[in-house]
Amino acid sequence: MRHPRLRTAPIREKRSGAIAAYSGSVGALWREAEQGTLVQRVRTYAQDHASDLQCALDLLASVRGLALVVHGPAGCAAALHRSDSPWAVTAIDQRDSILGGDGKLKRALRELHAAHAPQAIAVVATPVVAINNDDVESAAAELRAELGIPIVPVFTDGIRSKISATGYDVVVHALLQHLLPQRPRTQGAHLNLLSAGLSAEDLLGLQQLLAEIGVAALVFPRAGALADLERVATARLSVGLEGSDSDYAGQALQENHGVPFLDLPPPVGNAGTTRWLVAVGSATGHGEQAALVAACHRQRLQRSIEALTPFAGARVVISLPAAQALPFVELLAELGLETAALVVPAVGASEHEALRDLAARAPQLPLQVGEGQAFEEVNLLRRIGADLYVGRGGGSTHALRLGIPVLDLEHIPLHGYTGAERVAAAIVRRLSNPALARFLGAGAERDYTASWLKRSTSWYVKHEVR
Amino acid sequence: MAALHDRNGCALQGAALLLEAVEGVVPVLHANAGCSVAFGQDGATRANEVASTALLEKQVVFGGTSRLREQIKNTFQVRAGAVFVVLSGCVPEVIGDDVPAMVKEAREQRFPVLGIAVPGFRGHAWSGHAAAAHALLEQLPASLEAATQPAVAADINLLGIAPGLDPTWEGDLIEIEAVLAELGLRANRLVGHGQGVAHWLAAPQARLNLVLSPWGAEAAAGLHRRHEIPCVDLGWLPVGSLDAGALLAQVGRALGIDAQAVAAARARLDARLRRVLRGAAGRGLLDDLQRRAAIVGGSAGAVGQSRFLAGTLGLLVVQVVITDEPPPERRAALAAAVREAAGSTAEVAFLSSRHAIELRLRAAAPELIVGSAFEEGTARALGAAFVEAAAPLRRRPVLGRSHAGVGGAVTLLEELIAALREPSAPIDAPARPTAGARAFAAAAASHASVA
């Protein structure tokens, strides 16, 4: 492990100085970053958002061969209701919350094993279990011996970090610690594509792109398979796709398993994809092929750009994880569109470089840092207006309510040449007929008070008192 | 009990789903972040913009009450609403936050606030719904400073249908409203479009409470205790004209309505459904309906649907699995209601674990399964037709449809006919149960309480 003796991963706030609350301009935030650290702020009014637990469950459920036991009250497993992975919840009650629920945990592990015969089981801890300091480790050790499969404790707690993506690091820490014993191996020819949140389709597209330059790639941890884990540790190289959301895995594989880590800005947009492809090509001795493949794809976006000509200058609000949001600005520019504002769940050290570049070009660009804080977005969107809102995964109705069409990237790949093309085509459709947004926008605002909508967007973002 | 693929969520989630379905009520979660995320998307009107204290380690160590005070005050500034309801989850209960003191303090400052303790470890989402409905009725009048005069006149409060947990809750309540209107009675739906604080304030003026699932009994008991409102406790949801008519008969007796008027209303409901069924039969759509059926779902839906399928359409209901873990004292009545329509050989089980349910269904080997997304795989493996009618849903989102009353029964029949037309050969080859699975089956059978 990167911190092999630690029980679990450090929180994002500590690991990369990440912040989860800010409301202002890109330039002002960069000035803070320039002085060393981003200032930790809190919200004195907040809306519910995912915690590390939901992020961890989402990621773990994408790993093939792994079953999940959520150790906590039944509601903590709600994020799994749409998952195809085998899972169980210990459903601890009030008595267990006082006296401990390890009996239920052991029973759930045995039942899940009997019913589904998984290759390994992750035990995911929850806030109640964390506060009561339930001995998950001992139960896991006992069942590991009894069932003969790896039992992986995942120490999520819902309360340590303001940043839900801490859950990604906690998962990576647990998987590498328990499923990837450190021993010398012979290196393979393949590389690892590291991601925590990309869609399977997005990852498949990048694997296909790398295949064009003759490089085979495994994915880890998102959409990975337990059966592939041995090979993850023998890769010739790991390539991070998501900044802060993939560099914990990259650094751990480098420091503890000797797999070199190449942390590149993600392949978003045509130019961004070419830079990425060429960099991966040169690092793997496939530089020439990469240059040739890039040249083949260079003109690909041309048709999309032409289709978007009638909408040139349309103003787009981007609400995506920082690793994708920052390069998305460049993709929009390639398409002749303008970025109206950025909304990101968190910003950390991995984003400093991109933040600096953006601050140089557009210092006044409004920037909101915060996950699921729609009340601030409504305030901002009413102020600045926009022609399109780009987000990912539900929760964009607040934009539609304001009459702004929404592009949800949940089911549309974003990365690579194909991603750029697909996004462009989807934008054309959204802008060609915004009837739905127009209809929904004609309704009255019922959720927020008039006084809040008149206030400064940053009203409830305050410096943290220590 | 630990559950493989639990479907019932936690108390805080059921309570939050109820409050979000009442216009003018703003829930304020006092909990760690994430408690309301990703639950109850089935037919719920979620805005995903739920106020929350999003408790952190600091508040766990030093107490979360000052954070709650700050959040209450600021929610009042940000969110438009008539009443603010603090829902406290597991963490503040474990660390011993004095939430009632905070609510009292806010009320003294003339904030319309009330508090409900719904820690997830105290019960599932259905129980959270029941607790929140009861608490809202009890506490609402006192939390509003000036006695708001209820502008709503209603005869019958509809209790027990849970937003987000019963996937077709809103359509179902509208159908029951239409059934009661046949007798000229005005229903107080309490939740959904157009239903707000005034409707909850008007509840004590109703002439009757109608309980449509075990989860409405607590609220009805409170209204009876305080306001002496009598109650028709059906305990499940009428589907089709026979049960809708039987409901009218019970309501008519309770309210002393002329028996002839009731009989005429029942005849109108029957005539409406008969017309549809005769038309369908004439087109040959009902020729092959008589499958061996299993129904899996919450008390309200599963009992009501099995009574309609067996009692009106003539399906052979062999297995009913009730998944919402109703209180033990109510189980016999639910099972009796199923057997009244489906015959004494119909098995009724109370199970919530997906795996235990799968084993039960495999043993029953039905040709049709009406259930949740969790049962679709089993249906495919058994080569059975599948209709999705319980939460969680995956196939067909609910935006307004109903499975209750006469209109909802027709919708259910349409879905049934469509499902029976689909090729139902196993798509995913069923995994043979392992020796462990068989051992577990035996264990699960011993845990299941079979009425």
Side-chain angles (χ1 to χ4, degrees):
Chain A
M1 275 325 293
R2 174 126 200 270
H3 306 277
R5 281 179 304 280
L6 291 180
R7 193 171 77 128
T8 188
I11 60 174
R12 284 287 171 90
E13 290 90 330
K14 288 194 177 146
R15 182 168 79 79
S16 67
I19 59 164
Y22 173 81
S23 174
S25 70
V26 167
L29 189 67
W30 170 244
R31 281 196 295 281
E32 270 181 26
E34 236 179 348
Q35 283 161 15
T37 49
L38 297 172
V39 178
Q40 286 295 340
R41 295 174 173 88
V42 292
R43 284 187 171 81
T44 57
Y45 171 81
Q47 291 182 330
D48 197 25
H49 55 87
S51 70
D52 61 345
L53 175 62
Q54 284 77 35
C55 265
L57 291 177
D58 177 55
L59 175 54
L60 286 165
S62 80
V63 178
R64 278 172 289 148
L66 188 66
L68 277 66
V69 171
V70 178
H71 187 25
C76 289
L80 293 173
H81 277 188
R82 277 164 184 73
S83 155
D84 289 318
S85 298
W87 61 272
V89 57
T90 54
I92 59 175
D93 58 23
Q94 189 146 23
R95 187 185 143 84
D96 307 318
S97 79
I98 299 161
L99 300 174
D102 63 327
K104 282 188 178 165
L105 173 56
K106 288 181 206 168
R107 189 173 155 213
L109 284 164
R110 288 189 186 107
E111 288 182 1
L112 195 61
H113 182 256
H116 296 281
Q119 295 165 45
I121 303 177
V123 177
V124 187
T126 59
V128 172
V129 164
I131 291 170
N132 290 335
N133 220 356
D134 244 23
D135 191 357
V136 175
E137 193 69 74
S138 298
E142 187 183 325
L143 271 288
R144 208 174 282 143
E146 180 185 318
L147 303 177
I149 59 167
I151 307 288
V152 183
V154 178
F155 292 107
T156 40
D157 53 43
I159 51 170
R160 275 194 311 149
S161 176
K162 296 191 274 289
I163 298 167
S164 64
T166 291
Y168 291 150
D169 300 350
V170 171
V171 166
V172 166
H173 190 100
L175 293 180
L176 294 184
Q177 194 172 46
H178 289 274
L179 299 173
L180 224 61
Q182 297 171 45
R183 58 173 184 266
R185 297 173 170 82
T186 36
Q187 202 183 58
H190 59 282
L191 58 75
N192 297 323
L193 285 180
L194 303 179
S195 125
L198 297 198
S199 71
E201 192 181 359
D202 234 338
L203 290 167
L204 187 64
L206 291 176
Q207 283 174 305
Q208 285 165 347
L209 181 60
L210 288 177
E212 287 183 45
I213 66 165
V215 174
L218 288 174
V219 293
F220 176 83
R222 166 67 57 174
L226 288 189
D228 286 340
L229 275 187
E230 284 280 327
R231 292 178 60 223
V232 166
T234 62
R236 64 189 293 188
L237 185 71
S238 294
V239 178
L241 291 172
E242 282 184 287
S244 303
D245 290 348
S246 53
D247 62 6
Y248 191 72
Q251 287 157 3
L253 284 166
Q254 176 165 290
E255 289 168 28
N256 303 303
H257 302 276
V259 182
F261 176 43
L262 188 60
D263 198 7
L264 297 171
V268 171
N270 241 30
T273 300
T274 295
R275 286 194 299 271
W276 182 84
L277 191 63
V278 167
V280 175
S282 357
T284 51
H286 293 71
E288 279 179 31
Q289 290 101 309
L292 282 172
V293 169
C296 289
H297 288 290
R298 192 161 296 145
Q299 293 308 312
R300 231 175 119 176
L301 207 53
Q302 204 50 45
R303 206 179 302 163
S304 307
I305 294 167
E306 283 158 21
L308 275 164
T309 314
F311 309 108
R315 300 174 64 250
V316 181
V317 170
I318 305 169
S319 176
L320 292 169
Q324 289 143 36
L326 292 160
F328 201 89
V329 175
E330 186 183 354
L331 170 59
L332 288 180
E334 286 177 343
L335 297 173
L337 307 176
E338 194 187 311
T339 301
L342 286 175
V343 182
V344 298
V347 173
S350 307
E351 284 76 49
H352 281 196
E353 207 171 307
L355 194 63
R356 183 198 61 206
D357 295 349
L358 189 58
R361 293 200 309 276
Q364 296 308 319
L365 187 66
L367 171 66
Q368 290 292 122
V369 182
E371 185 170 357
Q373 303 306 312
F375 76 105
E376 277 176 4
E377 293 186 39
V378 168
N379 177 301
L380 178 73
L381 290 170
R382 287 172 67 99
R383 210 173 291 277
I384 63 171
D387 301 304
L388 181 70
Y389 178 97
V390 178
R392 180 153 181 228
S396 304
T397 49
H398 59 285
L400 281 171
R401 284 204 315 261
L402 296 173
I404 302 168
V406 167
L407 168 58
D408 185 342
L409 294 180
E410 185 76 359
H411 302 291
I412 296 173
L414 161 63
H415 294 75
Y417 300 109
T418 308
E421 224 168 36
R422 292 277 300 275
V423 166
I427 292 178
V428 171
R429 290 187 182 206
R430 300 302 180 284
L431 295 178
S432 299
N433 187 356
L436 173 66
R438 199 162 48 225
F439 177 73
L440 295 178
E445 172 65 52
R446 301 169 61 138
D447 291 287
Y448 299 108
T449 60
S451 68
W452 160 240
L453 297 173
K454 278 188 222 125
R455 278 191 167 152
S456 144
T457 312
S458 64
W459 186 267
Y460 293 104
V461 177
K462 313 280 186 198
H463 281 247
E464 189 170 27
V465 182
R466 288 190 175 270
Chain B
M1 189 180 99
L4 303 184
H5 289 82
D6 163 85
R7 65 189 75 205
N8 288 326
C10 76
L12 178 134
Q13 294 162 341
L17 288 166
L18 169 67
L19 298 183
E20 283 176 37
V22 183
E23 291 177 4
V25 172
V26 178
V28 182
L29 307 188
H30 185 38
N32 54 281
C35 281
S36 78
V37 174
F39 187 75
Q41 294 165 344
D42 300 318
T45 49
R46 301 217 46 141
N48 249 344
E49 293 165 51
V50 185
S52 171
T53 50
L55 293 171
L56 290 165
E57 201 167 21
K58 186 170 71 177
Q59 285 109 19
V60 169
V61 175
F62 298 108
T65 49
S66 61
R67 172 74 190 97
L68 177 60
R69 177 189 288 129
E70 173 183 80
Q71 180 74 14
I72 290 174
K73 188 184 77 182
N74 290 338
T75 305
F76 202 65
Q77 302 291 325
V78 173
R79 289 295 306 269
V83 176
F84 297 76
V85 183
V86 176
L87 295 177
S88 43
C90 297
V91 168
E93 292 290 314
V94 169
I95 63 176
D97 273 359
D98 191 351
V99 177
M102 281 297 110
V103 169
K104 184 162 172 278
E105 181 192 292
R107 222 183 264 184
E108 283 164 5
Q109 304 294 315
R110 304 190 166 182
F111 290 120
V113 179
L114 57 98
I116 308 175
V118 273
F121 52 64
R122 212 176 280 163
H124 59 18
W126 303 91
S127 74
H129 166 90
H134 176 68
L136 205 53
L137 287 167
E138 296 272 307
Q139 296 186 43
L140 196 58
S143 70
L144 292 167
E145 196 194 34
T148 314
Q149 283 306 312
V152 178
D155 301 305
I156 303 182
N157 298 318
L158 305 188
L159 300 168
I161 298 303
L165 305 176
D166 289 302
T168 49
W169 63 275
E170 186 154 18
D172 291 346
L173 288 171
I174 290 169
E175 282 292 338
I176 298 302
E177 184 176 43
V179 168
L180 294 170
E182 290 287 342
L183 279 183
L185 296 168
R186 294 160 302 182
N188 192 6
R189 286 184 278 125
L190 296 168
V191 288
H193 180 64
Q195 304 291 299
V197 172
H199 294 81
W200 288 77
L201 288 171
Q205 272 90 56
R207 297 157 66 196
L208 187 71
N209 290 317
L210 175 55
V211 174
L212 296 166
S213 88
W215 312 109
E218 191 181 348
L223 284 167
H224 182 255
R225 208 168 39 242
R226 283 188 170 224
H227 307 284
E228 296 181 351
I229 303 175
C231 177
V232 167
D233 187 347
L234 204 58
W236 41 270
L237 189 61
V239 182
S241 63
L242 292 180
D243 281 352
L247 169 70
L248 288 185
Q250 285 198 46
V251 168
R253 273 196 299 278
L255 295 177
I257 295 171
D258 172 45
Q260 273 186 324
V262 173
R266 294 184 70 165
R268 284 195 298 276
L269 293 174
D270 284 335
R272 191 177 145 208
L273 183 60
R274 230 172 247 129
R275 180 179 171 277
V276 172
L277 295 185
R278 283 180 177 161
R283 289 153 66 193
L285 295 171
L286 308 185
D287 289 349
D288 196 20
L289 279 187
Q290 282 195 296
R291 307 297 172 102
R292 285 165 44 83
I295 292 92
V296 183
S299 300
V303 174
Q305 289 154 19
S306 38
R307 285 177 60 90
F308 172 65
L309 296 182
T312 300
L313 298 181
L315 272 73
L316 311 170
V317 172
V318 292
Q319 177 74 60
V320 175
V321 181
I322 292 172
T323 56
D324 55 355
E325 303 167 63
E329 66 275 13
R330 298 192 66 106
R331 295 185 178 194
L334 293 167
V338 170
R339 293 198 181 113
E340 188 187 28
S344 59
T345 55
E347 286 274 350
V348 182
F350 294 86
L351 299 166
S352 62
S353 165
R354 172 179 173 173
H355 191 62
I357 293 169
E358 177 176 347
L359 296 169
R360 178 56 65 104
L361 291 174
R362 282 176 181 271
E367 295 152 350
L368 163 75
I369 294 177
V370 180
S372 77
F374 286 169
E375 282 71 59
E376 183 170 9
T378 308
R380 286 185 181 194
L382 292 172
F386 174 69
V387 173
E388 199 174 68
L393 302 176
R394 258 196 198 182
R395 285 188 146 206
R396 204 176 157 202
V398 172
L399 299 175
R401 73 179 183 274
S402 163
H403 284 150
V406 176
V410 172
T411 304
L412 185 62
L413 175 59
E414 288 169 349
E415 290 169 16
L416 179 59
I417 293 168
L420 292 174
R421 284 179 175 178
E422 280 178 24
S424 53
I427 294 170
D428 298 328
R432 301 300 307 168
T434 60
R438 282 192 294 275
F440 176 67
S446 70
H447 290 302
S449 50
V450 180

